[in-house]
Amino acid sequence: MFPGRQPRSQRGERPETAGRSRSRLSVRSVAGQVLVLQLVIVLLLGAAATVALLLQVRRDSTEEARGRSLAVAESFAASPGIVKALQGSDPTAHLQPKAEDVRKKSNLDFVVVTDNKGIRITHPRPHLIGKHFVGTIKPALAGGRVTEIVNGPGGEVSQAVVPVFNGRHHVIGLVSAGILVKKVSGLVDRQLPLLVGAVVASLALATGGTALVTGRLRRQTRGLDPIEMTQMYEHHDAVLHSVREGVLIVGADGRLVLANDEASRLLDLPPRPEGRPVEDLGLEPHIADLLVSRRVVTDEVLVAGERLLAVNNRLTDRVGGPPGSVATLRDSTELRALSGRADVAQKRLKLLFDASVEIGTTLDVSRTAEELAQVAVERFADFVTVDLAEPVLRGEEPLPVSGVEMVRAAVHGVRHDHPFYSVGKHFAFVASTPQAWGYGSGRPVVETDLAEATGWQAQDPEQTAKVVEYGVRSLVTVPLRARGVLLGMVNFWRLKEREPFEDEEVSLAEELASHAAVCIDNARRYTREHTMAVTLQHSLLPRALPAQSALDVAFRYLPAESGVGGDWFDVIPLPGARVALVVGDVVGHGLHAAATMGRLRTAVHNFSTLDLPPDEILSHLDDLIARIDQDESPGSRDRIEGLEAAGESIIGATCLYAIYDPVTLRCTMARAGHPPPAVVSPDGSVEFPDLPAGPPLGLGGLPFETAELELPENSHLVLYTDGLIEDRRREIDTGLELLRNALSHPGRTPEEICTHVLDEMLPTTPSDDIALIAARTRVLGPDRVVSWEVASDPAVVAGARAGVLRQLEEWGLGECAFTAELVLSELITNAIRHATGPIRVQVLRGDRELICEVSDTSSTSPHLRYAATTDEGGRGLFLVAQFAERWGTRYTASGKVIWAELAIP
């Protein structure tokens, strides 16, 4: 700053003084560098002296400790009476007090006497007497002396060992004395403070001397020589008047100290303004007040004539400078207009970016419409309404005709008390409305003044009057078009408080509508596919459980929110009052998974009618999936002429198949890659049986294994799919433990078990289907089952019939006695004629049926045939088929069982 300085065009003399702020002892200055060098030298000398002192003290301390320990050891070894004591019967009693007395008087750490074998006779710690001496004693036993430095518990110890000679100059014992080295190293404690004090004093003298010399030089030269001062002034002057920014410096007295050429131009200052009060420069009052107010401002825009100036004002005495302030001025007249347009464009780009992120977060048509309304309110419109063609909400494609029925899908605005149709309102656009015209032409329409828009008011005169009265001023209506299909209309509304919509804003409305239309169409297509898949899935799943006498069963099925899956379950009655429980899961989601699930469920029913063991049924399913996958592979599709629909291969499926027999209380199970079942005992304990897992269905080539459990009456067998226990937030083991905790409550019904398990374990948003079956076991006890063995002799048939008749009368089933007698006699006779080995008859009374079984050791299956009129036999199985509800054959490990079910009237 130069008081009285004139602009470059008017100056006639140079300032007399100049200066710049610089630290006295900065390392950039010579004085600072000299100070640093002095400090380094002093510190190096001090460090070297300290190291030398420490080394010397250590050496002297070690030598002193050696000498003291050796002198004490030799003196004690030569003391009178020590030889006699060593040769006496109790040397410890004579020498221990003397050794301790010498140790204390000589200020040593220990004085130890040993015999010629190194066994301690004395020691400061009596419990170590009698133990071997620790140290080097071999030279001393030979008559020499030993001095050494060893590490002890308290640090380094100087230890001396000398021999004790008898009258014949034989070594009869040893004396060892030792002292800690640090006890004689006190010299450094006395000399080190003096050395540190000397170093500190040297540092203080060096710093003070350098500071005094530096201050004297700065006062004389202001830190610069004359050439540097001249160069600095020229550079300062050139920069100050060449920048495209005005600079004003005002002193503490309110006078102008400096103004560059750009400030003079922007403020129209008079000639030679330096030194004059700011109020006398002809400035506008608000600018003059700011310059003398010492107020700090940043980019404050002020009007100066026809210009808009961006002003920054800072104080010059904040860091020790002279009192006053400096202001910078920047002409922002043109930038203001450009920034306004750029700000509008930036806000529109931000709106489009937010729309791309916030619209279409779900595959729900209504939710997508709401997201479109929410993202545009306030930043583009005051209210937004979305109207969709009624078929779109159902997932269907609207017909390209005018007058289609519309549904209000979303309404959102700056206030809740809006005058528009509510969500869910059904209506059709009148032909004169801008919405109808835009829907028919596929182009946006702008209405700047709704009070004058008679065509719009024709839609609903009463309702539109409320809209105008509410203060709605203008409208932009844009069709929602995606992939060539018109889905509906979006309406942007503005109140009177805002400027009406302009034509240049239509492009922004079209961009918003275009992105939203694609998202709505995606949601519509998903809705259609999801509805089809759900319909297919529900048609393929069991709608009711079949009647049976073995289990009390309850089930739950919950589809995933993300799409239809391939989970399924079944309860299949089997011959002999047995029941099969099945649960499975097809990998994947969608129509293909649902259709594959239906094929597998049908196959399971068909294979179950053959009454095969669980492992064989899984093997048949494995072969079936392999054939399906092979048939649907691209190569096989190419061989079928005209088939172009793309399918997807089956990656695999899992299944668990269990058969429960209420007579034997045995449950036979096999699984193919499926989670294990849970068995809940009557007391509430839960187990997951160690059932062989087996590979998933479709891999082929690997066998399945069967496990058999005994389930007491009122036990619960719980089957489920992996959607119940597996989740993104937890591992399968954690899910199994949660399931165990949810099931470990005795005395609950299957319905209560299903409800409680889902309440405890159901995720907030299930990502996979969940199938759950809870079955409580029942028992067909001895009062409902009767069996006996019969000989392979036709004469015993009459006795068997009589026995069955008596049993049926006990059960109160006399009405079906004749039929049962006939069926059993035919089955027994057939077994006697065509089978071998023992024959066993069993009759079971179920809740709704009477089951008659005849077992033998033959594997030959009987076949139904029609006998000719001349045949004397061959009508037995025909009669059984006529009188029984169902009949058939199942194979066992020892043969076969022919069974027939009779209805109980």
Side-chain angles (χ1 to χ4, degrees):
M1 304 178 189
F2 304 97
R5 185 193 179 285
Q6 299 178 358
R8 183 168 48 182
S9 59
Q10 302 173 2
R11 68 179 184 268
E13 57 183 1
R14 296 185 182 274
E16 295 179 352
T17 61
R20 61 183 176 182
S21 176
R22 178 186 295 175
S23 175
R24 289 186 176 186
L25 300 180
S26 172
V27 295
R28 296 175 180 265
S29 65
V30 175
Q33 295 173 358
V34 171
L35 175 61
V36 171
L37 180 60
Q38 290 177 340
L39 294 179
V40 171
I41 293 174
V42 171
L43 290 175
L44 289 176
L45 291 176
T50 302
V51 171
L53 177 62
L54 292 175
L55 293 176
Q56 181 64 34
V57 168
R58 177 177 175 81
R59 178 177 175 278
D60 293 345
S61 299
T62 303
E63 293 299 324
E64 176 68 16
R66 289 177 184 270
R68 289 178 60 180
S69 60
L70 182 61
V72 172
E74 289 180 339
S75 298
F76 193 83
S79 63
I82 189 170
V83 175
K84 184 179 180 180
L86 287 173
Q87 294 175 346
S89 59
D90 191 3
T92 300
H94 292 82
L95 297 179
Q96 175 71 8
K98 295 180 179 181
E100 284 300 294
D101 183 60
V102 170
R103 180 184 67 81
K104 294 177 181 179
K105 290 180 178 180
S106 59
N107 197 24
L108 265 64
D109 290 281
F110 64 87
V111 175
V112 177
V113 180
T114 70
D115 58 12
N116 55 4
K117 296 181 180 179
I119 303 301
R120 296 189 184 104
I121 296 175
T122 69
H123 197 278
R125 288 181 285 180
H127 67 278
L128 296 178
I129 296 175
K131 296 184 179 181
H132 201 280
F133 177 78
V134 178
T136 303
I137 63 174
K138 188 174 182 180
L141 292 175
R145 298 182 303 176
V146 179
T147 57
E148 57 183 344
I149 303 297
V150 297
N151 290 322
E156 291 184 339
V157 178
S158 176
Q159 177 176 281
V161 183
V162 299
V164 178
F165 299 97
N166 59 8
R168 299 179 180 178
H169 203 70
H170 292 162
V171 177
I172 63 174
L174 303 175
V175 176
S176 175
I179 186 173
L180 288 171
V181 175
K182 63 182 180 181
K183 283 187 176 182
V184 294
S185 60
L187 179 62
V188 67
D189 299 333
R190 298 188 299 271
Q191 296 182 354
L192 189 60
L194 298 177
L195 179 61
V196 173
V199 172
V200 172
S202 300
L203 292 175
L205 289 175
T207 303
T210 304
L212 291 175
V213 173
T214 302
R216 183 176 182 86
L217 291 175
R218 285 182 57 81
R219 286 193 299 272
Q220 292 179 353
T221 65
R222 295 186 179 275
L224 297 173
D225 57 27
I227 297 177
E228 289 177 332
M229 293 177 62
T230 302
Q231 291 177 346
M232 182 198 69
Y233 175 78
E234 295 293 343
H235 293 163
H236 174 272
D237 188 64
V239 171
L240 183 65
H241 293 281
S242 62
V243 297
R244 295 287 297 173
E245 190 170 88
V247 179
L248 294 173
I249 300 178
V250 180
D253 56 357
R255 295 179 178 273
L256 183 65
V257 177
L258 178 91
N260 68 347
D261 294 344
E262 182 67 11
S264 300
R265 184 184 70 83
L266 294 176
L267 297 177
D268 294 329
L269 296 178
R272 303 176 62 85
E274 288 84 354
R276 299 172 59 179
V278 173
E279 292 82 357
D280 297 342
L281 297 178
L283 302 176
E284 297 190 20
H286 59 279
I287 296 180
D289 293 341
L290 174 62
L291 294 177
V292 299
S293 66
R294 293 177 57 84
R295 181 164 56 91
V296 176
V297 298
T298 301
D299 288 335
E300 182 173 328
V301 179
L302 301 177
V303 179
E306 297 180 355
R307 295 189 177 94
L308 290 176
L309 302 180
V311 181
N312 293 275
N313 196 43
R314 296 289 185 272
L315 302 180
T316 57
D317 55 355
R318 291 184 304 166
V319 291
S325 61
V326 56
T328 60
L329 313 173
R330 189 170 62 252
D331 191 355
S332 61
T333 306
E334 297 181 359
L335 292 177
R336 187 72 173 180
L338 292 175
S339 64
R341 291 194 293 271
D343 184 59
V344 172
Q346 183 180 11
K347 289 181 178 179
R348 291 181 178 178
L349 289 175
K350 181 66 167 58
L351 175 58
L352 292 176
F353 174 77
D354 291 343
S356 66
V357 175
E358 299 175 13
I359 299 177
T361 59
T362 65
L363 289 174
D364 182 82
V365 174
S366 300
R367 178 57 187 163
T368 305
E370 293 174 3
E371 292 170 347
L372 168 61
Q374 291 172 0
V375 77
V377 167
E378 291 190 2
R379 289 188 286 181
F380 183 67
D382 295 317
F383 289 92
V384 177
T385 60
V386 181
D387 304 321
L388 298 178
E390 194 273 337
V392 173
L393 295 175
R394 301 195 307 268
E396 301 176 3
E397 189 171 304
L399 298 176
V401 295
S402 59
V404 65
E405 183 178 10
M406 307 297 290
V407 179
R408 178 59 50 88
V411 180
H412 190 68
V414 294
R415 296 199 295 265
H416 297 291
D417 57 336
H418 59 81
F420 304 101
Y421 288 150
S422 59
V423 175
K425 172 74 174 179
H426 289 249
F427 60 93
F429 291 130
V430 177
S432 62
T433 60
Q435 289 91 341
W437 191 90
Y439 190 82
S441 63
R443 299 175 59 186
V445 180
V446 180
E447 289 286 357
T448 57
D449 191 354
L450 294 176
E452 303 296 331
T454 57
W456 169 75
Q457 296 176 5
Q459 173 70 39
D460 187 343
E462 182 179 354
Q463 187 71 23
T464 55
K466 293 180 181 179
V467 173
V468 174
E469 183 181 354
Y470 188 81
V472 179
R473 179 178 186 179
S474 60
L475 161 71
V476 172
T477 178
V478 185
L480 294 169
R481 179 193 295 273
R483 302 179 181 93
V485 178
L486 278 171
L487 306 174
M489 300 293 292
V490 55
N491 307 297
F492 303 95
W493 314 82
R494 280 185 181 173
L495 299 174
K496 293 180 179 179
E497 290 78 6
R498 297 179 64 173
E499 293 294 327
F501 287 107
E502 300 176 356
D503 291 339
E504 63 180 12
E505 294 179 299
V506 174
S507 59
L508 176 59
E510 286 183 301
E511 289 290 339
L512 290 173
S514 175
H515 176 72
V518 173
C519 296
I520 291 174
D521 190 57
N522 290 338
R524 176 189 67 83
R525 290 168 176 259
Y526 171 78
T527 301
R528 179 181 61 185
E529 180 180 347
H530 185 71
T531 301
M532 294 171 59
V534 169
T535 303
L536 174 62
Q537 184 187 46
H538 287 177
S539 66
L540 296 175
L541 288 172
R543 300 185 180 181
L545 297 179
Q548 42 83 28
S549 305
L551 297 170
D552 295 327
V553 183
F555 69 91
R556 296 290 188 275
Y557 188 89
L558 298 177
E561 291 190 358
S562 59
V564 174
D567 292 15
W568 93 93
F569 65 94
D570 251 318
V571 179
I572 306 173
L574 298 177
R578 297 169 303 135
V579 176
L581 297 178
V582 191
V583 65
D585 182 6
V586 176
V587 176
H589 293 83
L591 285 172
H592 183 73
T596 304
M597 176 267 290
R599 299 169 76 174
L600 285 178
R601 181 168 178 258
T602 302
V604 169
H605 273 269
N606 292 334
F607 294 144
S608 297
T609 59
L610 301 177
D611 209 351
L612 300 174
D615 56 337
E616 293 187 23
I617 288 183
L618 293 182
S619 297
H620 287 302
L621 292 178
D622 187 44
D623 295 338
L624 174 64
I625 289 186
R627 289 197 300 272
I628 294 175
D629 200 14
Q630 183 179 3
D631 293 342
E632 294 185 353
S633 63
S636 61
R637 285 201 300 272
D638 292 341
R639 290 193 297 269
I640 301 175
E641 183 178 358
L643 184 59
E644 299 178 355
E648 53 180 298
S649 298
I650 302 173
I651 300 177
T654 65
C655 183
L656 172 63
Y657 193 95
I659 298 176
Y660 173 69
D661 189 341
V663 177
T664 62
L665 303 182
R666 307 296 293 179
C667 182
T668 307
M669 295 180 286
R671 62 181 177 131
H674 202 81
V679 177
V680 185
S681 301
D683 60 358
S685 61
V686 181
E687 293 183 2
F688 295 96
D690 188 14
L691 181 62
L697 300 176
L699 296 183
L702 297 175
F704 299 96
E705 298 183 44
T706 299
E708 190 173 90
L709 304 174
E710 182 173 349
L711 301 180
E713 186 177 6
N714 293 324
S715 298
H716 286 88
L717 184 62
V718 179
L719 282 63
Y720 52 90
T721 56
D722 58 357
L724 179 67
I725 60 173
E726 190 174 2
D727 188 57
R728 299 187 186 96
R729 297 166 294 179
R730 67 187 182 213
E731 299 293 335
I732 294 181
D733 293 341
T734 304
L736 289 175
E737 191 61 31
L738 292 175
L739 179 60
R740 182 192 301 273
N741 296 334
L743 293 174
S744 59
H745 299 279
R748 292 188 304 192
T749 64
E751 282 289 342
E752 292 172 344
I753 288 178
C754 290
T755 301
H756 184 74
V757 168
L758 291 184
D759 290 342
E760 291 291 326
M761 301 188 60
L762 184 64
T764 305
T765 56
S767 59
D768 196 4
D769 292 7
I770 297 176
L772 174 65
I773 301 178
R776 181 171 57 192
T777 60
R778 300 169 63 183
V779 177
L780 293 181
D783 59 330
R784 304 181 69 176
V785 180
V786 62
S787 62
W788 60 90
E789 290 188 2
V790 297
S792 183
D793 186 356
V796 301
V797 177
R801 295 177 61 176
V804 172
L805 178 60
R806 288 192 303 269
Q807 185 63 50
L808 294 180
E809 289 177 352
E810 291 181 10
W811 286 343
L813 301 177
E815 297 182 8
C816 60
F818 174 77
T819 306
E821 284 184 86
L822 176 62
V823 169
L824 269 177
S825 64
E826 292 297 335
L827 295 180
I828 295 173
T829 302
N830 190 69
I832 292 173
R833 290 181 177 179
H834 303 287
T836 59
I839 299 173
R840 186 172 184 83
V841 179
Q842 181 170 269
V843 181
L844 299 90
R845 178 189 175 184
D847 294 337
R848 304 169 186 83
E849 71 282 334
L850 183 69
I851 304 170
C852 303
E853 297 182 346
V854 177
S855 58
D856 56 61
T857 59
S858 173
S859 60
T860 303
S861 176
H863 296 282
L864 179 66
R865 67 184 182 89
Y866 293 94
T869 56
T870 58
D871 290 341
E872 295 182 359
R875 297 177 179 84
L877 289 181
F878 179 78
L879 291 175
V880 171
Q882 293 298 313
F883 286 104
E885 294 290 326
R886 295 191 305 160
W887 77 280
T889 304
R890 72 173 182 270
Y891 293 93
T892 63
S894 59
K896 68 176 182 298
V897 177
I898 304 176
W899 56 270
E901 290 184 4
L902 306 178
I904 297 178

